[in-house]
């Protein structure tokens, strides 16, 4: 098992060699992830295993674990997001090849022969962040019950529908 991840590598060659990497990366070193976080303190633990499956298809299996600090979209305060992701990729060179992959694989589309293995780790962390992260309702700084009561107009405060006059005209014409 190697702990030093190469800066760039040919994933198919790593699969042929059966390479396995395990390590940690500081969140502040992940430039594409950093803007999505409220704090880049901490690190992510990862494993990457390059090998072949039973049908001799190259595959990359990995795990990523981290606690990210993201912005709650309800109260706009920082909140922890635990990430424990596992993935299984297969290097492909085109969309046709990607469509033929079994369901258990996600395609790893290779635009070039080499890729940055750390990008796989960063991609999984980015994918783990929900589109609109929110605290659990009980933990959030916004009390939804108060918001619902304030936004729901009382029956006595409700305005008459702008179509009420049309309804009255229709009744008059039906008579």
């Amino acid at each position: 098992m190697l702990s030093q991840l190469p800066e760039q590598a040919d994933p198919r060659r790593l699969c042929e060699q059966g390479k396995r990497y395990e390590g940690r990366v500081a969140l502040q070193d992940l430039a594409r992830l950093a803007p999505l976080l409220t704090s880049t303190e901490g690190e992510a633990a990862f494993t990457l295993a390059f090998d072949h499956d039973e049908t001799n298809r190259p595959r990359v299996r990995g795990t990523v674990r981290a606690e990210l600090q993201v912005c709650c979209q309800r109260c706009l305060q920082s909140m922890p997001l635990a990430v424990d992701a596992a993935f299984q990729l297969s290097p492909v060179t085109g969309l046709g090849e990607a469509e033929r992959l079994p369901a258990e694989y996600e395609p790893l589309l290779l635009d070039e022969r080499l890729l940055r293995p750390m990008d796989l780790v960063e991609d999984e962390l980015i994918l783990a962040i929900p589109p609109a992260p929110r605290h659990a309702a009980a933990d959030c700084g916004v009390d939804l019950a108060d918001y619902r009561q304030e936004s729901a107009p009382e029956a006595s405060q409700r305005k008459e529908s702008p179509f009420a006059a049309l309804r009255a005209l229709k009744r008059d014409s039906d008579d």
Side-chain angles (χ1 to χ4, degrees):
M1 181 175 335
L2 302 171
S3 60
Q4 186 64 32
L5 197 60
E7 180 64 30
Q8 288 190 339
D10 178 353
R12 292 182 190 268
R13 186 166 185 194
L14 293 176
C15 289
E16 288 170 12
Q17 296 171 348
K19 296 290 187 177
R20 180 176 169 82
Y21 300 95
E22 187 172 323
R24 297 182 164 287
V25 61
L27 296 177
Q28 66 187 12
D29 294 340
L30 302 174
R32 293 179 298 129
L33 176 68
L36 304 175
L37 305 177
T38 58
S39 170
T40 56
E41 291 182 25
E43 57 186 18
F46 66 88
T47 62
L48 292 173
F50 295 82
D51 61 8
H52 287 89
D53 67 7
E54 309 78 40
T55 63
N56 205 29
R57 175 180 287 111
R59 71 177 168 189
V60 181
R61 292 177 293 159
T63 61
V64 180
R65 289 182 183 83
E67 183 158 314
L68 306 177
Q69 293 296 318
V70 296
C71 182
C72 171
Q73 296 301 299
R74 190 180 298 147
C75 69
L76 301 179
Q77 299 297 314
S78 184
M79 64 171 270
L81 176 68
V83 174
D84 188 1
F87 56 93
Q88 185 165 250
L89 311 170
S90 183
V92 296
T93 55
L95 296 177
E97 194 178 346
E99 290 174 358
R100 291 188 299 271
L101 284 176
E104 64 268 16
Y105 289 102
E106 294 179 48
L108 174 57
L109 189 58
L110 300 175
D111 294 333
E112 300 174 12
R113 189 168 172 232
L114 300 177
L115 66 79
R116 292 185 63 234
M118 187 54 68
D119 285 350
L120 300 176
V121 173
E122 188 171 17
D123 289 347
E124 289 302 319
L125 288 170
I126 290 169
L127 289 170
I129 298 174
R134 294 184 306 254
H135 286 107
D139 299 333
C140 195
V142 173
D143 188 356
L144 295 176
D146 289 343
Y147 176 75
R148 287 186 187 122
Q149 288 175 356
E150 290 174 13
S151 65
E154 295 292 328
S156 62
Q157 295 177 345
R158 289 190 182 150
K159 293 182 180 179
E160 190 173 313
S161 167
F163 300 104
L166 293 174
R167 191 177 315 121
L169 287 173
K170 183 172 182 337
R171 272 191 240 132
D172 289 344
S173 66
D174 288 344
D175 293 335

